[in-house]
Amino acid sequence: MSRIYKLTPGWIKLAYYHTLGGRRPWSGGYLTFKFRYIKKILGDDGLLGKFKKSSPLPRSYGFSLDERVIEYPWVLSRISGTPSENLLDVGSTLNYKVIFNLEALRDKKITILNLTSEESRFRRISYVVGDMRNLPFDNNSFDLIACISTLEHVGLDNTRYTSNTENLEARPRDFEKAVGELKRVAKPSAKVFITVPFGKYKNFGWFQQFDAAMIQQIIKAFNPGDYQINYYRYTKDGWDISDEASCRDAEYSGASNGKISADRAAGARAVACLELTK
């Protein structure tokens, strides 16, 4: 993201997105619009309740927006109100002011793990560099673990995130090692939240879209005491709760490469959200 874009006032970005950008995914102002939308959702107890109860969402929910509009409220609706203290964010997906300023996270001791050094935006958060396949933490360390749209990158080409050529890999089955590590560092009875793009399997080189067999491999690798899986599907009417069978044919959108489809999908057209209890 350029320095000029960062310094551009939000209202200008939004004006561009709604006019010249045509509300197209990943056009100018898209990220500003998306995070304002997410902030509004996370402040709406009624909508968060729908995520927590796995209830249908309002028509046109998240139209033209990527899967973060599902993953953030799904995870945070389950974290909210828990007395647990130690939270591990694997992949640094939560590292935004709009997320960490939420009341649900203010009393948490938070650790962020990423492949590269991360900007320290909050004093109360510990930032750690490490690989999911070999987590630098003791056994039974965390009450809660969030792994949001990160597992699909494990063992693949991560050089777009780091200049280290060792991160140019082609080991698509390594996500199972990472799942085993998540279980190792989770405390007994801890909750682990994993979200991945779901549908027809495809390896894009830098990430892969999971299919039904791979979801079962996650379950097998973790061997949870209990678990729940929610599926959400994107259509021309926006995002809504769905089921595995209805999502199996979902294909990832090419919007980030400028290929805008009729349904205005911005990324995944389906996402699997797993709540695993150790």
Side-chain angles (χ1 to χ4, degrees):
M1 189 181 296
S2 70
R3 180 175 175 81
I4 293 177
Y5 185 83
K6 287 183 178 180
L7 294 175
T8 302
W11 68 268
I12 293 179
K13 296 175 186 176
L14 289 174
Y16 182 92
Y17 177 70
H18 286 289
T19 55
L20 297 178
R23 291 194 65 175
R24 296 191 309 273
W26 308 107
S27 61
Y30 170 82
L31 291 177
T32 300
F33 177 81
K34 181 179 79 171
F35 276 102
R36 291 198 180 187
Y37 188 94
I38 288 171
K39 181 178 180 179
K40 182 179 179 180
I41 297 306
L42 295 179
D44 187 328
D45 290 339
L47 265 175
L48 288 179
K50 291 182 181 296
F51 279 97
K52 192 167 186 176
K53 296 176 183 177
S54 306
S55 300
L57 301 176
R59 185 178 174 83
S60 298
Y61 176 88
F63 177 73
S64 80
L65 296 175
D66 62 76
E67 56 268 32
R68 293 296 183 276
V69 299
I70 293 295
E71 295 166 317
Y72 282 138
W74 184 85
V75 170
L76 290 165
S77 70
R78 284 157 170 75
I79 289 177
S80 180
T82 62
S84 305
E85 295 182 356
N86 293 323
L87 167 65
L88 172 63
D89 171 22
V90 179
S92 190
T93 315
L94 297 175
N95 195 29
Y96 293 93
K97 184 183 292 186
V98 66
I99 304 297
F100 281 136
N101 280 343
L102 293 171
E103 184 176 350
L105 297 177
R106 287 176 187 168
D107 62 344
K108 301 284 189 284
K109 178 182 179 182
I110 300 172
T111 301
I112 290 179
L113 178 126
N114 207 5
L115 271 177
T116 58
S117 58
E118 192 77 7
E119 180 183 350
S120 299
R121 302 179 184 181
F122 305 90
R123 291 182 180 179
R124 61 189 175 87
I125 296 171
S126 300
Y127 293 85
V128 179
V129 176
D131 191 314
M132 273 188 72
R133 294 165 294 185
N134 186 24
L135 294 174
F137 308 114
D138 293 335
N139 296 347
N140 307 317
S141 294
F142 298 97
D143 303 293
L144 298 166
I145 299 177
C147 180
I148 300 173
S149 274
T150 298
L151 195 63
E152 64 266 27
H153 298 283
V154 174
L156 299 179
D157 181 4
N158 284 290
T159 53
R160 63 175 55 203
Y161 306 113
T162 170
S163 58
N164 190 341
T165 56
E166 291 183 1
N167 295 127
L168 177 56
E169 299 182 87
R171 302 170 63 91
R173 291 292 299 271
D174 273 12
F175 73 89
E176 294 174 280
K177 293 182 180 179
V179 172
E181 279 291 275
L182 294 180
K183 181 173 184 178
R184 180 183 66 79
V185 302
K187 291 181 179 179
S189 300
K191 298 285 188 180
V192 177
F193 303 100
I194 298 174
T195 68
V196 292
F198 180 76
K200 291 183 179 179
Y201 176 76
K202 187 168 183 179
N203 188 328
F204 293 87
W206 60 285
F207 79 98
Q208 55 187 335
Q209 177 159 285
F210 280 54
D211 61 14
M214 295 170 75
I215 296 298
Q216 290 306 309
Q217 288 167 351
I218 293 176
I219 301 299
K220 182 179 179 180
F222 195 91
N223 189 24
D226 192 14
Y227 70 93
Q228 175 184 337
I229 308 177
N230 287 138
Y231 294 89
Y232 289 86
R233 180 75 193 251
Y234 180 87
T235 68
K236 61 181 178 59
D237 296 318
W239 286 95
D240 205 352
I241 189 76
S242 188
D243 54 61
E244 180 193 290
S246 300
C247 295
R248 285 192 173 198
D249 65 340
E251 297 186 15
Y252 203 90
S253 166
S256 59
N257 295 322
K259 300 176 182 178
I260 308 301
S261 57
D263 63 2
R264 295 292 185 100
R269 285 188 172 90
V271 61
C273 303
L274 296 85
E275 178 179 339
L276 310 174
T277 304
K278 183 173 178 178

